[in-house]
Amino acid sequence: MMTQEYDVFICHRGETKRNFVSVLGGMLRSKGITCFVDYRMPIGNDVDLEIKGAIEKSKVFIVVLSLHFAQSTWCLDEIIDIMKIRDRMGTSRKVIPVFYDVEREMVRQQEKDTLYDLTKVKRSDAEKIGRWGKALKDVCELDKFDYKSSSMLQWEESEKIVAKVEDFLILHRIIPDQGTKMPIWRECVNYDVFICHWHEDTQRNVVSVLRGMLLCKSITPFVGGYGKEDGGSALDSDIIQAIENSRVHVIFLSPNFVRSKRCLEEVFRIMKIQGSPGTSDASRKPTVVPIFYDTEPSTVRYQQKGKTYYLDEVQESSTGEKRKEWAIAIRDLSLLHGLEYDSRSTYQWEKLYDVVKIVEASAKKITPRNYWSKHEALYVKKIDEVFKELELQEKREHVFLVGVYGRETSEFCDLLVQRLGSNFCGVCKLNNIMEKACQPNGISKIAQQMLSDLIHPSKSSDLIQPSTSNDVKRCQLLLENERCLVVLDDLGNDIDKIKTLLEDLKSILRNNSLVVVASQFQHTLQELNVHKFINLSSLENKRDFLNICYTERDGIHEAFLSQLNETFDMHGLDVRLLNEDKLMSDSTCLQDAKVILCVISKSFRLGEFKRMCTNAAIPSKIVYYVSYGSYPTDESMPKSVFKMEVDFEKAEFNKKQFKSMVNEVVQTLNERSEEIMGAIDFPVDLVRRSSHIERSIRDCVLRSENSVQCFGLVGMGGIGKTTLARSIFNKLHSQFERSFFSLNTRAGVAEVKAKGTSGLVDVQKRIIAKLLNNRSDDAEIYNEEQGKMVLSSKVKHINALIVFDDVDDGRHLEAFCEPLQSSLGPKSIIIITTRDRSIVESAVIFDIEGLDKEMSKRLFYWHAFMKPKPPADLEKVSQSVIEACQGLPLSLRKSHKVSLKRVKGFHYP
């Protein structure tokens, strides 16, 4: 059996597997870097062959040298193999040693009676000791990372290692350079999550990692005293404000938690909010997530004498009244359903990923913006319908099965649990079902977790998993008097494994229980014969508009407004340009706007805009301001002003500031983190050209809904096919279950082929990974023909948008398009860009033409001068260059670098 190729191999001892290695591997995978760690090997594989094969085919090796590393012959043998491959001629490999709670000198010296005394290793001889010792010494000579678990923040230190890996892989073109996102500063008043913890127990490890994972999801956490030795000051106004304004409260109940008065006071205030009568609807209150970290829930609940949570002992200096308040709050907290975390056996990344999913759903759900309240109102209506139908089914069904389909199933499922959970004796909500099902013994673990949540603790000693008919009967007995709610979110595409689990559930549950299964794939739910089907896509509102407000009195250059429109349109946003007259005649034109971009100019000041919009419900909107032109002002400008002095007579256009503004607006409108292909600098005539193709594609799909539709964008190199494909992708992809964009297919296939592997197979693997949302299916593909079969079987019935950019070989279509056309859902679209018309002769073809004279001028001027018109002395030479480019966008963007550098006195912007 051939071994899969990996980007990174992590060599480690078991003592770092569940914490440091689990997180490091998760961080790498989250960046699309394939990573081998031994505990993720498929059950039944030959361990020795699997490890040796992974070492042979990995590009980067992270060697985690921990205290007991040298006591494992497996680890020592791995080091020998790693260093041999590193020293092999003609290979580009990198070894990164991490000294985890050990000093480099101990590893290098290998002195007697130390933990790195190799003579103490079992099953060793002089020859092995010599080879092990040399390999360890060679590793010590490399650039290294020191990691001290007692003093360093785990996420921040791991980020440094991941960055080093990324730099190497990008340098050697093993992974593409995704570029860096421009950091956006926001004055944070309302945090999404408040993390309550005792810093000595959890801040450097789980809290550090959870904080980093949340920030990667654009979720803002508040962590008091983060990075400070003493964990920060006592309870202050900032902490109180963060508790009151956060949407989610995550509380790490660790062994020494109650030794901190601040932690106890934080819990008291959190639980006070939960018990406040001011909010009658529980779904509007912040979500509380207690995590019992190395602590039994019963210890927290009962606070018995002699135990770590006995407040009379650990807080004896506090008043009796205060201890009583804290004790009640802690007990009430322990009665909430939470997560148990045993650091000795829990894989840190995997467990915290579950926490992030809970937080992500809750952070989206509870928000003060009207945008979400509309969704909630529609969701609540559907949820109430479900419960009404459930009650009507009482005499006919033991279990009522509901299927939920859409892109935001997590939000819906979380709201359903909060709204209906109190009507059931047992409640279980599990996320990422398909990912968990594909893990070793995945279905058994899901069943075990389900029953653990549903079966009362008094019966926990009887807990089993239903693997035989007798086990099913036993579970029926345990739940015979219980009415249960089970929610299984994200079923994925292949549900054969899940069907058995659902059949067992139907056999076990009684008393009009409710089972909700959710998926982004509609066909998945249709195979399950659900009693009720809910299509969330039909409830979602139309895409939010970006409204750009301005005045025509100050001569704002039409090219600047056009550039705003073109740039945001390429990002997939719907843009409306509203001048002052429109705003004055219809103050309601902004009421459906989520984001407003106001161009402040000499005659259109901040105060005037606010007065004009008094009746447009603007306070609930997000308003950004761009300052156009240099003019004196005594107004107090908000922090969201982008101070761009756009005055083409006096200064060049500030491209960096413009990009910063665009990034922030796009991110604000893209709260659901949908995939967006990057925009080019200064798109010109893109709205007109892409809109025409987009409308034509929609019309073709509407006329034929029974098969996958293929479209070809055909034109010479540099004509703008890729730019148009990006723009169309950004506008359409959110309407599909999955999407995939293969950029520069021709070059990518050739590049991978030059390394000795099949470029076509590489693209086939990427298609599967993207359409299945990077699940752990890990389809093994060894050649193109097998890849076609795997594609056909793995992505069946998924409605997807696929773009293959720059295809020049019919074999590419045979390897990708043919299996996709035979397997994807009937509403799928495949777009191909190519220079060769014959390749797409069976598709609907759009011939891409060059720019006309006026648009050619605009594109050239923007790139050459950062202005919509040239300096007077360069107009003639510019015209000759533009004519020579014959409307070819790529030439217009690049030619000025050659043509104008000969002009005396000219300097590039």
Side-chain angles (χ1 to χ4, degrees):
M1 180 179 292
M2 293 181 64
T3 304
Q4 177 185 338
E5 288 195 13
Y6 295 94
D7 298 321
V8 179
F9 180 95
I10 303 181
C11 174
H12 67 286
R13 188 75 200 274
E15 60 198 319
T16 57
K17 187 188 304 292
R18 288 169 175 79
N19 44 53
F20 183 76
V21 171
S22 168
V23 171
L24 189 59
M27 293 174 73
L28 290 167
R29 291 192 300 275
S30 70
K31 289 180 172 289
I33 298 172
T34 58
C35 176
F36 178 89
V37 283
D38 54 12
Y39 71 87
R40 292 175 64 88
M41 281 189 295
I43 297 296
N45 282 21
D46 186 304
V47 175
D48 189 44
L49 288 177
E50 195 82 15
I51 290 176
K52 287 184 179 298
I55 291 175
E56 183 70 30
K57 296 195 174 184
S58 294
K59 312 299 186 303
V60 178
F61 305 94
I62 301 174
V63 181
V64 184
L65 297 152
S66 54
L67 286 172
H68 300 98
F69 181 92
Q71 295 175 17
S72 167
T73 56
W74 283 90
C75 294
L76 294 170
D77 287 342
E78 287 175 12
I79 285 233
I80 290 175
D81 291 340
I82 288 169
M83 297 309 290
K84 279 182 181 177
I85 289 177
R86 174 187 174 272
D87 296 334
R88 188 184 295 168
M89 294 294 292
T91 61
S92 297
R93 310 291 178 96
K94 186 173 186 64
V95 180
I96 302 174
V98 180
F99 293 88
Y100 186 97
D101 288 340
V102 298
E103 297 297 331
R104 175 157 59 175
E105 284 308 303
M106 178 193 289
V107 181
R108 178 187 281 131
Q109 298 298 334
Q110 302 161 25
E111 293 179 347
K112 187 176 180 181
D113 295 329
T114 66
L115 291 170
Y116 277 76
D117 178 2
L118 300 180
T119 63
K120 303 288 188 183
V121 179
K122 296 179 181 179
R123 298 180 298 280
S124 63
D125 54 41
E127 181 188 358
K128 285 185 177 180
I129 291 172
R131 288 192 292 137
W132 290 338
K134 181 181 184 305
L136 286 171
K137 288 178 181 178
D138 290 344
V139 168
C140 289
E141 300 307 315
L142 304 175
D143 289 339
K144 47 88 176 180
F145 287 92
D146 289 312
Y147 183 83
K148 305 298 181 188
S149 61
S150 62
S151 60
M152 291 181 171
L153 295 168
Q154 185 176 350
W155 180 269
E156 283 74 4
E157 295 305 313
S158 299
E159 270 192 320
K160 297 174 185 176
I161 300 171
V162 171
K164 181 72 74 174
V165 172
E166 274 191 298
D167 290 345
F168 177 84
L169 295 176
I170 291 171
L171 177 65
H172 291 84
R173 298 187 176 182
I174 297 168
I175 62 173
D177 186 356
Q178 303 293 342
T180 55
K181 289 185 177 180
M182 184 175 294
I184 295 176
W185 180 88
R186 292 178 185 270
E187 184 180 5
C188 199
V189 177
N190 294 333
Y191 292 89
D192 298 312
V193 187
F194 181 87
I195 301 180
C196 175
H197 70 292
W198 176 229
H199 71 282
E200 291 185 2
D201 287 342
T202 54
Q203 185 172 113
R204 296 179 185 89
N205 42 68
V206 286
V207 170
S208 171
V209 175
L210 179 60
R211 176 181 178 272
M213 293 172 76
L214 292 171
L215 287 172
C216 286
K217 292 279 190 179
S218 299
I219 297 171
T220 310
F222 181 94
V223 182
Y226 187 69
K228 297 180 180 179
E229 286 298 322
D230 62 352
S233 61
L235 196 71
D236 56 26
S237 59
D238 288 341
I239 293 175
I240 294 171
Q241 185 179 15
I243 290 173
E244 292 175 348
N245 294 334
S246 292
R247 307 171 187 182
V248 186
H249 299 134
V250 177
I251 305 169
F252 284 91
L253 294 158
S254 56
N256 297 298
F257 182 87
V258 294
R259 294 186 179 278
S260 165
K261 289 183 173 64
R262 191 187 82 183
C263 290
L264 291 168
E265 194 61 28
E266 288 172 359
V267 170
F268 173 73
R269 290 180 178 272
I270 289 169
M271 298 311 295
K272 188 176 181 181
I273 293 172
Q274 289 296 306
S276 171
T279 307
S280 57
D281 185 355
S283 69
R284 305 299 304 176
K285 292 182 178 179
T287 299
V288 178
V289 184
I291 300 176
F292 300 93
Y293 184 87
D294 288 341
T295 302
E296 292 291 332
S298 60
T299 301
V300 181
R301 184 171 302 140
Y302 299 118
Q303 304 166 26
Q304 295 173 336
K305 187 174 182 179
K307 300 282 188 177
T308 54
Y309 274 66
Y310 185 55
L311 294 181
D312 287 349
E313 289 181 359
V314 295
Q315 290 293 346
E316 59 182 349
S317 62
S318 301
T319 65
E321 182 180 356
K322 182 56 72 174
R323 288 200 300 271
K324 184 178 179 181
E325 283 183 351
W326 292 337
I328 293 172
I330 288 287
R331 184 203 64 205
D332 291 346
L333 175 61
S334 73
L335 294 173
L336 300 179
H337 182 60
L339 300 172
E340 293 186 46
Y341 190 117
D342 184 345
S343 61
R344 296 166 300 179
S345 60
T346 298
Y347 286 93
Q348 191 172 348
W349 178 269
E350 286 76 1
K351 176 65 79 172
L352 291 180
Y353 186 80
D354 287 340
V355 176
V356 169
K357 292 297 288 185
I358 294 170
V359 169
E360 190 175 21
S362 300
K364 286 182 177 180
K365 172 182 61 60
I366 304 172
T367 173
R369 296 178 187 167
N370 290 335
Y371 173 74
W372 289 110
S373 63
K374 293 178 182 178
H375 279 222
E376 283 186 354
L378 292 170
Y379 288 176
V380 165
K381 183 179 179 181
K382 286 294 180 184
I383 290 168
D384 290 344
E385 287 178 10
V386 167
F387 193 67
K388 184 177 180 180
E389 290 190 39
L390 175 65
E391 297 300 295
L392 294 175
Q393 294 286 333
E394 186 169 0
K395 295 182 180 180
R396 289 182 283 168
E397 300 284 350
H398 285 303
V399 176
F400 188 60
L401 183 61
V402 175
V404 180
Y405 160 70
R407 297 175 65 87
E408 296 297 322
T409 58
S410 294
E411 179 187 350
F412 180 87
C413 290
D414 194 73
L415 185 58
L416 182 143
V417 170
Q418 291 201 28
R419 191 164 184 84
L420 301 185
S422 60
N423 297 287
F424 298 87
C425 301
V427 177
C428 173
K429 178 178 180 290
L430 297 179
N431 302 315
N432 309 312
I433 292 299
M434 183 50 61
E435 181 176 349
K436 292 174 180 175
C438 292
Q439 298 294 327
N441 300 317
I443 293 295
S444 296
K445 291 178 180 177
I446 292 171
Q448 188 76 7
Q449 181 62 57
M450 220 178 331
L451 295 174
S452 175
D453 288 347
L454 297 177
I455 294 175
H456 195 274
S458 63
K459 305 175 184 178
S460 60
S461 60
D462 299 319
L463 187 59
I464 52 175
Q465 59 191 54
S467 57
T468 68
S469 59
N470 288 333
D471 291 338
V472 171
K473 291 178 181 178
R474 181 65 178 145
C475 291
Q476 287 175 347
L477 290 173
L478 291 172
L479 293 170
E480 63 180 346
N481 297 316
E482 310 290 340
R483 188 189 193 197
C484 299
L485 168 63
V486 176
V487 180
L488 304 177
D489 189 19
D490 201 357
L491 295 193
N493 187 44
D494 183 1
I495 62 164
D496 288 339
K497 296 177 180 179
I498 304 299
K499 285 182 178 178
T500 303
L501 180 66
L502 288 176
E503 290 304 315
D504 285 340
L505 264 181
K506 290 179 182 179
S507 300
I508 292 169
L509 299 181
R510 292 289 183 271
N511 305 310
N512 200 25
S513 292
L514 173 63
V515 175
V516 179
V517 289
S519 175
Q520 289 193 16
F521 302 120
Q522 187 171 4
H523 70 274
T524 299
L525 302 174
Q526 291 171 340
E527 294 179 35
L528 296 178
N529 298 317
V530 299
H531 296 109
K532 182 176 178 63
F533 183 80
I534 298 175
N535 185 353
L536 297 183
S537 301
S538 64
L539 303 181
E540 294 177 355
N541 294 332
K542 188 179 178 182
R543 183 196 302 272
D544 291 297
F545 278 102
L546 168 64
N547 292 267
I548 301 176
C549 304
Y550 67 101
T551 183
E552 295 179 342
R553 287 183 287 160
D554 293 327
I556 296 176
H557 205 292
E558 183 272 335
F560 175 66
L561 295 173
S562 175
Q563 191 53 226
L564 287 171
N565 188 20
E566 296 276 2
T567 301
F568 286 119
D569 183 85
M570 186 173 182
H571 280 92
L573 304 183
D574 291 325
V575 181
R576 290 192 298 202
L577 291 171
L578 302 173
N579 61 29
E580 184 182 12
D581 292 340
K582 174 65 175 174
L583 292 173
M584 292 181 68
S585 62
D586 182 10
S587 63
T588 64
C589 64
L590 296 178
Q591 286 185 354
D592 63 343
K594 183 185 175 189
V595 174
I596 298 169
L597 181 66
C598 182
V599 183
I600 301 297
S601 55
K602 186 175 182 179
S603 304
F604 194 57
R605 302 294 183 90
L606 179 64
E608 184 177 358
F609 172 72
K610 287 184 175 180
R611 286 192 297 272
M612 189 179 298
C613 299
T614 301
N615 299 322
I618 293 302
S620 63
K621 315 296 180 185
I622 297 175
V623 182
Y624 295 103
Y625 300 91
V626 173
S627 177
Y628 186 96
S630 300
Y631 57 90
T633 177
D634 56 359
E635 292 181 293
S636 176
M637 302 295 278
K639 290 185 178 180
S640 55
V641 167
F642 291 87
K643 294 205 178 278
M644 297 173 57
E645 295 192 355
V646 184
D647 189 334
F648 296 117
E649 300 298 326
K650 297 181 180 179
E652 297 161 353
F653 186 72
N654 192 320
K655 185 165 69 172
K656 184 177 180 181
Q657 284 185 336
F658 184 78
K659 281 186 173 182
S660 176
M661 179 268 293
V662 170
N663 276 347
E664 181 154 356
V665 172
V666 169
Q667 286 189 28
T668 302
L669 279 166
N670 188 32
E671 284 190 343
R672 295 184 175 182
S673 301
E674 294 179 350
E675 180 183 11
I676 296 177
M677 297 297 296
I680 60 171
D681 293 335
F682 306 121
V684 167
D685 201 29
L686 191 60
V687 172
R688 181 187 64 82
R689 297 203 295 170
S690 65
S691 297
H692 164 68
I693 297 173
E694 180 192 347
R695 285 194 301 271
S696 299
I697 288 175
R698 290 180 189 273
D699 290 344
C700 288
V701 173
L702 286 173
R703 287 197 298 268
S704 176
E705 294 188 351
N706 297 320
S707 62
V708 178
Q709 298 291 300
C710 288
F711 302 91
L713 307 186
V714 180
M716 64 187 298
I719 201 71
K721 303 183 295 297
T722 301
T723 301
L724 282 167
R726 284 179 169 182
S727 177
I728 294 165
F729 180 87
N730 287 342
K731 292 176 183 176
L732 293 180
H733 75 89
S734 63
Q735 300 167 31
F736 294 82
E737 293 173 338
R738 286 287 186 268
S739 57
F740 174 76
F741 195 113
S742 175
L743 188 64
N744 300 326
T745 305
R746 171 172 57 91
V749 169
E751 185 176 346
V752 174
K753 185 177 180 181
K755 297 177 183 178
T757 55
S758 172
L760 298 180
V761 168
D762 178 71
V763 177
Q764 288 172 333
K765 286 183 176 181
R766 288 194 288 118
I767 294 171
I768 292 172
K770 190 67 176 177
L771 296 191
L772 297 181
N773 200 25
N774 291 323
R775 310 228 176 269
S776 53
D777 296 58
D778 290 336
E780 296 181 350
I781 301 177
Y782 307 123
N783 56 61
E784 295 141 29
E785 287 303 314
Q786 186 211 3
K788 291 165 67 174
M789 295 174 61
V790 174
L791 264 178
S792 296
S793 63
K794 287 284 185 181
V795 303
K796 277 186 177 179
H797 311 304
I798 296 176
N799 288 311
L801 171 63
I802 311 287
V803 178
F804 294 111
D805 171 51
D806 193 14
V807 176
D808 72 339
D809 192 330
R811 290 178 302 171
H812 296 176
L813 301 190
E814 293 176 8
F816 313 143
C817 290
E818 288 182 6
L820 289 174
Q821 282 182 282
S822 65
S823 58
L824 288 176
K827 296 182 180 178
S828 297
I829 291 176
I830 298 176
I831 298 174
I832 302 159
T833 75
T834 181
R835 304 177 187 184
D836 187 350
R837 188 183 187 87
S838 65
I839 286 180
V840 291
E841 58 185 5
S842 62
V844 177
I845 295 176
F846 298 96
D847 291 304
I848 308 304
E849 306 289 342
L851 299 176
D852 63 24
K853 185 175 181 180
E854 287 306 311
M855 292 298 104
S856 295
K857 285 182 181 180
R858 180 167 293 183
L859 182 60
F860 181 82
Y861 295 158
W862 273 121
H863 281 274
F865 311 112
M866 298 290 181
K867 297 179 180 181
K869 61 181 181 179
D873 59 333
L874 293 177
E875 188 167 3
K876 188 174 181 180
V877 66
S878 296
Q879 188 61 39
S880 64
V881 175
I882 293 167
E883 291 175 359
C885 291
Q886 298 182 341
L888 200 63
L890 182 61
S891 297
L892 290 162
R893 289 199 300 268
K894 303 293 185 182
S895 59
H896 68 275
K897 294 183 177 179
V898 177
S899 305
L900 298 181
K901 70 179 182 180
R902 304 188 188 97
V903 178
K904 184 177 181 181
F906 178 75
H907 298 286
Y908 288 108

